[in-house]
Every structure is written in structure tokens, then in C-alpha cells.
Amino acid sequence: SANEILKNLELQNNIKIIYAVEAGSRSHGWESDTSDYDIRFVYILNNRKSYLSLQESNNPINGKTKAITGKSDDEMFEWQGWDLNQFLKRLQELNLTAIEWIYSSFVHWHIPTEPNFLNTARSLVESQKRTKPIFDNYLGTARENYTALILKEKKVRFIYFF
């Protein structure tokens, strides 16, 4: 199960997962019989002293990217996790992926001792009152899809059908 995977990731990487959601088709209710689980999570290092370093590469997991990625042997579960610092930077940049995570209705894991995490993350986004980065991202996706569908220059990454 997703919770078992998250518990194992905590043990294997010496981290504490503070928030985990489902992304992809299952998060929107569009899954099929063959859909996998796309687990996305935010974590903090158990070694809190490493946050005091000025060098990002001090994180022992994937160096500067601070990402934990992988998939199960049967490829039914795929995961990606970001360190809290990286996640907050992405929220500040209005990264659509990070924004989708905090507004997901399919939550796998939320630490009861961190009840303000979601409210704080959402406030960070909403307080910026900047829509241009979000608009630019969607406009870029629309241009790519137009090129792929109308001009037939390349494949579409993902198209929503209702």
C-alpha cells in the first residue's frame, strides 16, 4: 500500500514525511484498471542539524535536487518527494506541481502534529497575489498542445478528455 511505501521510504532515507498526496489520474478520479499510484510527498530530514548548513548539497539524498524518486517492482506505485525547503521554494515560485499537491483532495499522509502545514502552504501561495507565472505555465502548455494537435509537430504529453 502507499502507506507501507511511505513508511519504508522514511526508514531507508532517514527522513520524516510530513505530507503525501496522490497525483495523476487517481487524484482526479480518472483512473483506469491499469492506472498506477502516483505518490507525491514533502519530507524533512531527521538530522535537523543539516538544515543549518549554507550548502544545499549537504542533503545526503540526491545532492542539490533534494528529491526522492522511485517506483515499485511491479510499477504499480511511483513516487517523488521533495525536501521541505525545496517544496517551499517551489511554492514561492508558484510552481504548478507544488500548488497541485497542496490542493489535492486525495491525501495519503498528513502528520497530526503538523496541522498548520497545509494552511501555511496555501497562505504562502494565496498571499502572493501573482497570477502571471501560473498563466504563463498554462499558456505554454496550451501552445505545446496546439502545436501537437493542430500543427502535428510533436506528441502531446497529456490531454484531458471529459
Coordinates of all heavy atoms in Angstrom, one line a residue, residues 66-121:
K66 N 17.4 17.5 -3.8 CA 16.6 17.2 -2.6 C 15.3 16.4 -3.0 O 14.3 16.6 -2.4 CB 16.3 18.4 -1.9 CG 17.5 19.1 -1.3 CD 17.2 20.3 -0.5 CE 18.4 20.9 0.1 NZ 18.2 22.1 0.9
A67 N 15.4 15.5 -4.0 CA 14.3 14.8 -4.4 C 14.5 13.3 -4.1 O 15.6 12.8 -4.3 CB 14.0 15.0 -5.9
I68 N 13.4 12.6 -3.7 CA 13.5 11.2 -3.6 C 12.5 10.6 -4.6 O 11.3 11.0 -4.6 CB 13.0 10.7 -2.2 CG1 14.0 11.3 -1.1 CG2 13.0 9.2 -2.1 CD1 13.5 11.0 0.3
T69 N 13.0 9.8 -5.5 CA 12.1 9.3 -6.6 C 12.3 7.8 -6.7 O 13.3 7.2 -6.3 CB 12.4 9.9 -8.0 OG1 13.8 9.6 -8.3 CG2 12.2 11.4 -7.9
G70 N 11.3 7.1 -7.2 CA 11.4 5.7 -7.5 C 10.1 5.1 -7.9 O 9.0 5.8 -8.0
K71 N 10.1 3.8 -8.0 CA 8.9 3.0 -8.3 C 9.0 1.6 -7.8 O 10.1 1.1 -7.6 CB 8.5 3.0 -9.8 CG 9.6 2.4 -10.7 CD 9.2 2.3 -12.2 CE 9.1 3.7 -12.8 NZ 8.8 3.6 -14.2
S72 N 7.8 1.0 -7.6 CA 7.8 -0.3 -7.1 C 8.2 -1.3 -8.2 O 8.1 -1.0 -9.3 CB 6.4 -0.7 -6.5 OG 5.4 -0.6 -7.5
D73 N 8.6 -2.5 -7.8 CA 9.0 -3.5 -8.7 C 7.9 -3.8 -9.7 O 8.2 -4.1 -10.9 CB 9.4 -4.8 -8.0 CG 10.7 -4.6 -7.2 OD1 11.5 -3.7 -7.6 OD2 11.0 -5.4 -6.3
D74 N 6.6 -3.8 -9.3 CA 5.5 -4.1 -10.2 C 5.0 -2.9 -10.9 O 4.1 -3.0 -11.7 CB 4.4 -4.8 -9.4 CG 3.8 -3.8 -8.4 OD1 4.2 -2.7 -8.2 OD2 2.8 -4.3 -7.7
E75 N 5.7 -1.8 -10.7 CA 5.4 -0.5 -11.3 C 4.0 0.0 -11.1 O 3.4 0.8 -11.8 CB 5.7 -0.5 -12.8 CG 7.2 -0.8 -13.1 CD 7.6 -0.6 -14.6 OE1 6.7 -0.3 -15.4 OE2 8.7 -0.8 -14.9
M76 N 3.4 -0.5 -10.0 CA 2.0 -0.1 -9.6 C 2.1 1.2 -8.8 O 1.1 2.0 -8.7 CB 1.3 -1.2 -8.8 CG -0.1 -1.1 -8.8 SD -0.8 -1.1 -10.5 CE -2.4 -0.4 -10.1
F77 N 3.2 1.5 -8.2 CA 3.4 2.7 -7.4 C 4.7 3.4 -7.9 O 5.7 2.8 -8.1 CB 3.6 2.3 -5.9 CG 2.4 1.7 -5.2 CD1 2.3 0.3 -5.2 CD2 1.5 2.5 -4.6 CE1 1.2 -0.2 -4.6 CE2 0.4 1.9 -4.0 CZ 0.2 0.6 -4.0
E78 N 4.5 4.7 -8.0 CA 5.6 5.6 -8.4 C 5.6 6.8 -7.4 O 4.5 7.2 -7.0 CB 5.4 6.1 -9.9 CG 6.4 7.0 -10.4 CD 6.0 8.4 -10.3 OE1 4.8 8.7 -10.5 OE2 6.9 9.2 -10.1
W79 N 6.8 7.2 -7.0 CA 6.8 8.3 -6.0 C 7.9 9.3 -6.3 O 8.9 9.1 -7.0 CB 7.0 7.7 -4.6 CG 8.2 6.9 -4.4 CD1 9.5 7.3 -4.2 CD2 8.3 5.4 -4.5 NE1 10.4 6.2 -4.1 CE2 9.6 5.0 -4.3 CE3 7.4 4.4 -4.8 CZ2 10.0 3.7 -4.3 CZ3 7.8 3.1 -4.8 CH2 9.1 2.8 -4.6
Q80 N 7.6 10.5 -5.8 CA 8.5 11.6 -5.8 C 8.3 12.4 -4.6 O 7.2 12.8 -4.2 CB 8.3 12.5 -7.1 CG 9.2 13.7 -7.1 CD 8.9 14.5 -8.3 OE1 7.9 14.5 -9.0 NE2 9.9 15.3 -8.7
G81 N 9.4 12.7 -3.9 CA 9.3 13.5 -2.7 C 10.3 14.7 -2.7 O 11.4 14.5 -3.2
W82 N 9.9 15.8 -2.2 CA 10.8 17.0 -2.1 C 11.0 17.3 -0.6 O 10.1 17.3 0.2 CB 10.1 18.2 -2.8 CG 10.0 18.1 -4.2 CD1 10.7 17.3 -5.1 CD2 9.1 18.8 -5.0 NE1 10.3 17.5 -6.4 CE2 9.3 18.4 -6.4 CE3 8.1 19.7 -4.8 CZ2 8.5 18.9 -7.4 CZ3 7.3 20.2 -5.8 CH2 7.6 19.9 -7.1
D83 N 12.2 17.8 -0.4 CA 12.6 18.3 0.9 C 11.7 19.6 1.2 O 11.4 20.3 0.3 CB 14.1 18.7 0.9 CG 14.5 19.4 2.2 OD1 14.7 18.7 3.2 OD2 14.6 20.6 2.1
L84 N 11.4 19.8 2.4 CA 10.5 20.9 2.8 C 11.0 22.3 2.2 O 10.3 23.1 1.7 CB 10.3 21.0 4.3 CG 9.5 22.2 4.8 CD1 8.1 22.1 4.3 CD2 9.5 22.3 6.3
N85 N 12.3 22.5 2.3 CA 12.9 23.7 1.8 C 12.7 23.9 0.3 O 12.3 24.9 -0.2 CB 14.4 23.8 2.1 CG 14.7 24.1 3.6 OD1 13.9 24.6 4.3 ND2 15.9 23.8 4.0
Q86 N 13.0 22.8 -0.4 CA 12.7 22.8 -1.9 C 11.3 23.0 -2.2 O 10.9 23.8 -3.1 CB 13.3 21.5 -2.5 CG 13.2 21.5 -4.0 CD 14.2 22.6 -4.6 OE1 15.1 23.0 -4.0 NE2 13.9 23.0 -5.8
F87 N 10.4 22.4 -1.5 CA 9.0 22.5 -1.7 C 8.5 23.9 -1.5 O 7.8 24.5 -2.3 CB 8.2 21.5 -0.8 CG 6.7 21.6 -0.9 CD1 6.1 21.0 -2.0 CD2 5.9 22.2 0.0 CE1 4.8 21.0 -2.2 CE2 4.6 22.2 -0.1 CZ 4.0 21.6 -1.2
L88 N 9.0 24.5 -0.4 CA 8.6 25.9 -0.1 C 9.1 26.9 -1.2 O 8.4 27.8 -1.6 CB 9.0 26.3 1.3 CG 8.3 25.6 2.4 CD1 8.9 26.0 3.8 CD2 6.8 25.9 2.4
K89 N 10.3 26.6 -1.7 CA 10.8 27.5 -2.8 C 10.0 27.3 -4.0 O 9.7 28.3 -4.7 CB 12.3 27.1 -3.1 CG 13.3 27.5 -2.1 CD 14.7 27.0 -2.5 CE 15.7 27.2 -1.4 NZ 17.0 26.6 -1.7
R90 N 9.5 26.1 -4.3 CA 8.7 25.9 -5.5 C 7.3 26.6 -5.3 O 6.8 27.1 -6.2 CB 8.6 24.4 -5.8 CG 9.9 23.9 -6.3 CD 9.8 22.4 -6.6 NE 11.1 22.0 -7.1 CZ 11.4 20.8 -7.6 NH1 10.4 20.0 -7.7 NH2 12.6 20.6 -8.0
L91 N 6.8 26.6 -4.1 CA 5.5 27.3 -3.8 C 5.7 28.8 -4.0 O 4.8 29.4 -4.6 CB 5.0 27.0 -2.4 CG 4.3 25.7 -2.2 CD1 3.9 25.6 -0.7 CD2 3.1 25.5 -3.1
Q92 N 6.8 29.3 -3.5 CA 7.1 30.7 -3.7 C 7.2 31.1 -5.1 O 6.8 32.2 -5.5 CB 8.3 31.1 -2.9 CG 8.6 32.6 -2.9 CD 9.8 32.9 -2.0 OE1 10.6 32.1 -1.8 NE2 9.8 34.1 -1.5
E93 N 7.7 30.2 -6.0 CA 7.8 30.4 -7.4 C 6.5 30.2 -8.1 O 6.4 30.3 -9.4 CB 8.9 29.5 -8.0 CG 10.3 29.8 -7.5 CD 11.3 28.7 -7.8 OE1 10.9 27.6 -8.3 OE2 12.5 28.9 -7.4
L94 N 5.5 29.8 -7.4 CA 4.2 29.4 -7.9 C 4.3 28.2 -8.9 O 3.6 28.2 -10.0 CB 3.5 30.6 -8.6 CG 3.1 31.7 -7.6 CD1 2.5 32.9 -8.4 CD2 2.2 31.3 -6.5
N95 N 5.1 27.3 -8.6 CA 5.2 26.0 -9.3 C 3.9 25.3 -9.3 O 3.4 25.0 -8.2 CB 6.4 25.2 -8.7 CG 6.6 23.9 -9.4 OD1 5.8 23.0 -9.2 ND2 7.6 23.8 -10.2
L96 N 3.4 25.0 -10.5 CA 2.1 24.4 -10.6 C 2.0 23.0 -9.9 O 1.0 22.6 -9.3 CB 1.6 24.3 -12.0 CG 1.2 25.6 -12.7 CD1 0.8 25.4 -14.1 CD2 0.2 26.3 -11.9
T97 N 3.1 22.2 -10.0 CA 3.1 20.9 -9.4 C 3.0 21.0 -7.9 O 2.2 20.3 -7.3 CB 4.4 20.2 -9.8 OG1 4.5 20.0 -11.2 CG2 4.5 18.8 -9.1
A98 N 3.7 21.9 -7.3 CA 3.7 22.1 -5.8 C 2.3 22.6 -5.4 O 1.7 22.2 -4.4 CB 4.7 23.1 -5.4
I99 N 1.7 23.5 -6.2 CA 0.4 24.0 -5.9 C -0.7 22.9 -6.0 O -1.5 22.8 -5.1 CB 0.0 25.2 -6.9 CG1 0.9 26.4 -6.6 CG2 -1.5 25.6 -6.7 CD1 0.8 27.5 -7.6
E100 N -0.6 22.0 -7.0 CA -1.5 20.9 -7.1 C -1.4 20.0 -5.9 O -2.4 19.5 -5.4 CB -1.2 20.1 -8.4 CG -1.7 20.8 -9.6 CD -1.4 20.1 -10.9 OE1 -0.8 18.9 -10.8 OE2 -1.6 20.6 -12.0
W101 N -0.2 19.8 -5.3 CA 0.0 19.0 -4.2 C -0.8 19.5 -3.0 O -1.5 18.8 -2.3 CB 1.4 18.9 -3.8 CG 2.3 18.1 -4.7 CD1 2.0 17.7 -6.0 CD2 3.6 17.6 -4.5 NE1 3.1 17.1 -6.5 CE2 4.1 17.0 -5.6 CE3 4.5 17.7 -3.4 CZ2 5.3 16.4 -5.7 CZ3 5.7 17.2 -3.5 CH2 6.2 16.5 -4.6
I102 N -0.8 20.8 -2.7 CA -1.4 21.4 -1.5 C -2.9 21.5 -1.7 O -3.6 21.7 -0.7 CB -0.8 22.7 -1.1 CG1 -1.0 23.8 -2.1 CG2 0.7 22.5 -0.7 CD1 -0.6 25.2 -1.7
Y103 N -3.4 21.4 -2.9 CA -4.9 21.4 -3.1 C -5.4 20.1 -3.5 O -6.6 20.0 -3.8 CB -5.2 22.5 -4.1 CG -5.0 23.9 -3.6 CD1 -3.9 24.6 -3.9 CD2 -6.0 24.5 -2.8 CE1 -3.7 25.9 -3.4 CE2 -5.8 25.7 -2.2 CZ -4.7 26.4 -2.6 OH -4.5 27.7 -2.1
S104 N -4.6 19.0 -3.4 CA -5.1 17.7 -3.7 C -6.2 17.2 -2.7 O -6.0 17.5 -1.5 CB -4.0 16.7 -3.7 OG -4.4 15.4 -4.0
S105 N -7.2 16.6 -3.2 CA -8.2 16.1 -2.3 C -7.9 14.6 -1.9 O -8.6 14.0 -1.1 CB -9.6 16.1 -3.0 OG -9.6 15.4 -4.2
F106 N -6.9 14.0 -2.5 CA -6.5 12.6 -2.2 C -5.2 12.6 -1.4 O -4.1 12.6 -1.9 CB -6.3 11.9 -3.5 CG -6.2 10.4 -3.4 CD1 -6.7 9.6 -4.4 CD2 -5.6 9.8 -2.3 CE1 -6.6 8.2 -4.3 CE2 -5.5 8.4 -2.3 CZ -6.0 7.6 -3.3
V107 N -5.4 12.7 -0.1 CA -4.2 12.8 0.8 C -3.9 11.4 1.4 O -4.8 10.8 2.0 CB -4.5 13.8 2.0 CG1 -3.3 13.8 3.0 CG2 -4.8 15.2 1.4
H108 N -2.7 10.9 1.2 CA -2.3 9.7 1.7 C -1.8 9.8 3.2 O -2.0 8.9 4.0 CB -1.0 9.1 1.0 CG -1.4 8.6 -0.4 ND1 -2.1 7.4 -0.6 CD2 -1.0 9.0 -1.6 CE1 -2.2 7.1 -1.8 NE2 -1.6 8.1 -2.5
W109 N -1.2 10.9 3.5 CA -0.5 11.0 4.7 C -0.4 12.5 5.2 O 0.0 13.3 4.4 CB 0.9 10.5 4.5 CG 1.9 10.3 5.6 CD1 2.4 11.2 6.4 CD2 2.5 9.1 5.9 NE1 3.3 10.6 7.3 CE2 3.4 9.3 7.0 CE3 2.5 7.8 5.4 CZ2 4.2 8.3 7.5 CZ3 3.2 6.8 6.0 CH2 4.1 7.1 7.0
H110 N -0.8 12.7 6.4 CA -0.6 14.1 6.9 C -0.4 13.9 8.4 O -1.2 13.3 9.1 CB -1.9 14.9 6.7 CG -1.8 16.3 7.0 ND1 -2.5 16.9 8.1 CD2 -1.0 17.3 6.5 CE1 -2.2 18.2 8.2 NE2 -1.3 18.5 7.2
I111 N 0.7 14.5 8.9 CA 1.1 14.3 10.3 C 0.2 15.2 11.2 O 0.1 16.4 11.0 CB 2.6 14.7 10.5 CG1 3.4 13.8 9.8 CG2 2.9 14.7 12.0 CD1 4.9 14.0 10.0
P112 N -0.5 14.5 12.1 CA -1.4 15.3 13.0 C -0.7 16.4 13.8 O -1.3 17.4 14.2 CB -2.0 14.2 13.9 CG -1.8 12.9 13.2 CD -0.6 13.1 12.4
T113 N 0.6 16.2 14.1 CA 1.3 17.2 14.9 C 1.7 18.4 14.0 O 2.3 19.3 14.5 CB 2.6 16.5 15.5 OG1 3.4 16.0 14.4 CG2 2.3 15.5 16.4
E114 N 1.4 18.3 12.7 CA 1.7 19.5 11.8 C 0.4 20.0 11.2 O 0.3 20.0 10.0 CB 2.7 19.0 10.7 CG 4.0 18.5 11.2 CD 4.9 19.6 11.9 OE1 4.7 20.8 11.6 OE2 5.8 19.2 12.7
P115 N -0.6 20.3 12.0 CA -1.9 20.7 11.5 C -1.8 22.0 10.6 O -2.7 22.2 9.8 CB -2.7 20.9 12.7 CG -1.8 21.2 13.8 CD -0.5 20.5 13.5
N116 N -0.9 22.8 10.8 CA -0.8 24.1 10.1 C -0.1 24.0 8.8 O 0.0 25.0 8.1 CB -0.2 25.2 11.0 CG -1.1 25.5 12.2 OD1 -2.4 25.5 12.0 ND2 -0.6 25.7 13.3
F117 N 0.5 22.9 8.5 CA 1.3 22.8 7.3 C 0.5 23.2 6.0 O 1.0 24.1 5.3 CB 1.9 21.4 7.1 CG 2.5 21.2 5.7 CD1 3.8 21.7 5.5 CD2 1.9 20.5 4.7 CE1 4.4 21.6 4.3 CE2 2.5 20.4 3.5 CZ 3.8 20.9 3.3
L118 N -0.7 22.6 5.8 CA -1.5 22.9 4.6 C -1.9 24.4 4.6 O -1.8 25.1 3.6 CB -2.7 22.0 4.5 CG -2.5 20.8 3.8 CD1 -3.8 20.0 3.7 CD2 -1.9 21.0 2.4
N119 N -2.4 24.9 5.8 CA -2.9 26.3 5.8 C -1.7 27.2 5.5 O -1.9 28.2 4.8 CB -3.4 26.6 7.2 CG -4.8 25.9 7.4 OD1 -5.4 25.5 6.5 ND2 -5.1 25.6 8.7
T120 N -0.5 26.9 6.1 CA 0.6 27.8 5.9 C 1.1 27.8 4.4 O 1.3 28.8 3.8 CB 1.8 27.4 6.8 OG1 1.4 27.4 8.1 CG2 3.0 28.3 6.6
A121 N 1.1 26.6 3.8 CA 1.5 26.4 2.4 C 0.5 27.1 1.5 O 0.9 27.9 0.6 CB 1.6 24.9 2.0

